[in-house]
Amino acid sequence: MKKIYYGKQTIQKDDIKEVVKVLKSDFLTTGPKVKEFEKALCSYTNSKYCVCVSNATAALHISSLLLLNENDLVLTTPNSFLATSNAILYAKAKPVFVDICEDGNINLDLCEKLLLENKNIKAIYVVHFSGNPVNQKKLAFLREKYDIKILEDCAHSIGAVNNNIKAGSCKNSDISVFSFHPVKQLTTGEGGAILTNDKKIYEMALQLRNHGIELKSDIAPWHYEMNSLGYNYKLTDIACALGLSQLKKIEKFINKRRKIANRYEKFFKKFEFIKPLYEFTFDSSYHLYVVLIDFEKYKISKKDLFLKLREKGIFLQYHYIPINQQAYYKNLGYGNENTPFMDDYYKKAISLPIYPKLSKKEQNFVQDSIIEILEKG
């Protein structure tokens, strides 16, 4: 039985060829492909500076150390992978969880209300959930009016656009962060990137990526100085060669994802108690495709739907268990936030398979299987 997962990398012959070239070269890490990939990402996103790192969590960690101070309050979403808010804790700052909108993204109107009530809020960490970007005009307004730091977690959203602003451009933020995990729109195996338009942030991010070291070749060819407590968060030339090859095809990959999303929407709109998280839009780069199912109207639980689909070889996923409800966060005093939209979302949401190699036949099988199981109960 062929298994269908919610996400999957698309590796082709040209990708393999580029990786093999690096394997035969003089540099496997900290070489020319890293800078080439960083330059290509700047060109693609219209940002000034880029620092590639070992994964998106490393990118979030470095970014938080550069943006935050101890005990800063940071508005963020409960609807993300743990790394988004964990990075706030790494910097000894304090996440403040804000409810989501109907599209799964953080509610920026609620963020503004909290900013008016509490002058100790120093930053907002927004996540462009599933590939669907937040409203950039609202982001610009909040940044200018309240003089706060803004980080865009673009782990889901490379290739997304809102108001002609590409995800990662940092037009209305201090830092944007990418993920290149295999289930994302492009992959380097593991990997991430920090993007910024601030030269000082860029220079410090370079240091923190490499143990806090700054090379001082003007003193001596071998001389280096450790000026900060950094980390070993470098990304290899092998990974960057794969990333460069993938980046050349990213628009094709995203267009395929959009076609799959459009077909899902047309299919599920025929059913009263199933709806897409948001209407189809070319703004989204569709890392995920989420549908909301009113399980109370059917005779089956979300868990049983997952298990019965696995018997057919279909592996759905759920994104995400609310971060503030995790045991670690509850031990810190979280868990009682007023988040009715997130709570309702958690009851209803499932993530369907979406990746460039998903065939129409496989998509039809997924759709039909979901309806069959729901209606049989």
Side-chain angles (χ1 to χ4, degrees):
M1 180 192 301
K2 183 178 180 181
K3 293 180 180 179
I4 302 173
Y5 296 96
Y6 87 92
K8 188 178 180 182
Q9 68 272 17
T10 301
I11 303 297
Q12 298 170 321
K13 289 181 179 180
D14 55 341
D15 299 315
I16 296 169
K17 184 178 178 180
E18 291 303 313
V19 170
V20 170
K21 282 182 185 178
V22 170
L23 290 171
K24 292 179 177 179
S25 74
D26 293 333
F27 294 94
L28 298 186
T29 191
T30 324
K33 284 297 176 184
V34 178
K35 290 182 180 179
E36 191 179 339
F37 188 38
E38 289 170 344
K39 185 176 179 181
L41 287 168
C42 286
S43 178
Y44 181 73
T45 60
N46 300 315
S47 61
K48 287 185 180 179
Y49 307 106
C50 176
V51 178
C52 285
V53 290
S54 52
N55 52 61
T57 301
L60 286 163
H61 184 191
I62 288 174
S63 298
S64 295
L65 294 176
L66 294 176
L67 294 181
L68 306 177
N69 295 307
E70 188 170 349
N71 294 321
D72 281 354
L73 298 182
V74 183
L75 303 181
T76 192
T77 175
N79 191 28
S80 182
F81 186 59
L82 298 162
T84 305
S85 60
N86 285 356
I88 298 168
L89 297 179
Y90 296 160
K92 298 183 180 180
K94 297 180 180 179
V96 177
F97 292 103
V98 181
D99 202 9
I100 60 174
C101 298
E102 290 186 350
D103 66 357
N105 279 329
I106 191 170
N107 188 322
L108 292 178
D109 290 332
L110 283 179
C111 287
E112 183 173 13
K113 183 180 177 183
L114 290 168
L115 285 166
L116 287 167
E117 293 173 353
N118 192 335
K119 303 302 181 184
N120 292 321
I121 296 168
K122 302 299 182 182
I124 304 177
Y125 279 29
V126 300
V127 175
H128 303 302
F129 178 73
S130 81
N132 186 39
V134 302
N135 187 303
Q136 287 286 343
K137 287 183 178 179
K138 182 70 174 181
L139 211 59
F141 169 79
L142 293 176
R143 189 185 188 201
E144 183 176 350
K145 182 173 180 179
Y146 297 98
D147 190 29
I148 53 168
K149 301 293 184 181
I150 292 181
L151 178 141
E152 293 179 83
D153 186 336
C154 301
H156 291 190
S157 61
I158 189 168
V161 181
N162 180 265
N163 288 304
N164 295 315
I165 297 170
K166 266 193 173 181
S169 71
C170 300
K171 183 174 177 62
N172 298 311
S173 62
D174 298 275
I175 293 176
S176 292
V177 168
F178 282 151
S179 168
F180 306 126
H181 185 275
V183 296
K184 300 297 169 49
Q185 294 91 333
L186 73 83
T187 187
T188 58
E190 283 280 4
I194 300 163
L195 297 107
T196 185
N197 295 324
D198 186 314
K199 188 177 181 181
K200 186 176 179 181
I201 288 175
Y202 168 66
E203 290 172 344
M204 284 303 301
L206 285 174
Q207 269 193 42
L208 291 174
R209 176 179 72 178
N210 187 28
H211 304 278
I213 287 172
E214 184 180 0
L215 298 177
K216 294 282 188 176
S217 57
D218 57 321
I219 297 175
W222 63 85
H223 195 79
Y224 62 88
E225 293 178 3
M226 178 181 161
N227 293 314
S228 57
L229 182 61
Y231 305 87
N232 185 6
Y233 282 165
K234 298 186 293 293
L235 191 61
T236 68
D237 279 54
I238 301 166
C240 289
L242 177 56
L244 278 162
S245 181
Q246 293 256 301
L247 187 59
K248 293 173 184 176
K249 301 177 287 187
I250 191 169
E251 293 303 323
K252 291 181 180 178
F253 290 165
I254 291 172
N255 286 337
K256 185 65 188 293
R257 288 174 176 272
R258 286 173 177 151
K259 286 179 181 178
I260 293 168
N262 203 12
R263 289 201 299 268
Y264 273 138
E265 178 166 300
K266 289 176 180 177
F267 178 82
F268 285 111
K269 274 194 169 180
K270 297 181 286 186
F271 301 93
E272 185 178 359
F273 303 118
I274 305 175
K275 67 174 185 177
L277 179 60
Y278 49 87
E279 290 190 359
F280 177 80
T281 172
F282 282 98
D283 281 5
S284 180
S285 55
Y286 285 102
H287 160 52
L288 302 173
Y289 189 84
V290 176
V291 293
L292 304 175
I293 299 176
D294 191 346
F295 285 96
E296 293 181 0
K297 302 296 183 182
Y298 294 99
K299 298 177 182 178
I300 188 171
S301 67
K302 184 192 288 194
K303 179 180 176 180
D304 286 338
L305 174 64
F306 268 60
L307 293 175
K308 289 189 177 186
L309 285 168
R310 287 190 177 190
E311 291 174 6
K312 292 175 173 283
I314 300 168
F315 288 73
L316 302 184
Q317 189 51 274
Y318 170 73
H319 302 87
Y320 289 99
I321 298 171
I323 299 174
N324 58 316
Q325 298 298 330
Q326 292 286 350
Y328 182 84
Y329 279 85
K330 284 190 171 183
N331 288 336
L332 293 177
Y334 295 96
N336 295 315
E337 291 79 10
N338 183 28
T339 54
F341 281 94
M342 184 70 216
D343 297 342
D344 187 63
Y345 171 88
Y346 182 46
K347 293 176 185 175
K348 296 177 177 178
I350 59 173
S351 299
L352 306 188
I354 185 167
Y355 49 89
K357 285 187 175 180
L358 185 72
S359 67
K360 284 185 180 180
K361 183 178 179 181
E362 289 170 326
Q363 185 175 358
N364 290 338
F365 179 57
V366 170
Q367 295 168 171
D368 293 341
S369 296
I370 289 171
I371 297 304
E372 178 189 353
I373 293 169
L374 286 172
E375 292 185 344
K376 283 185 177 179

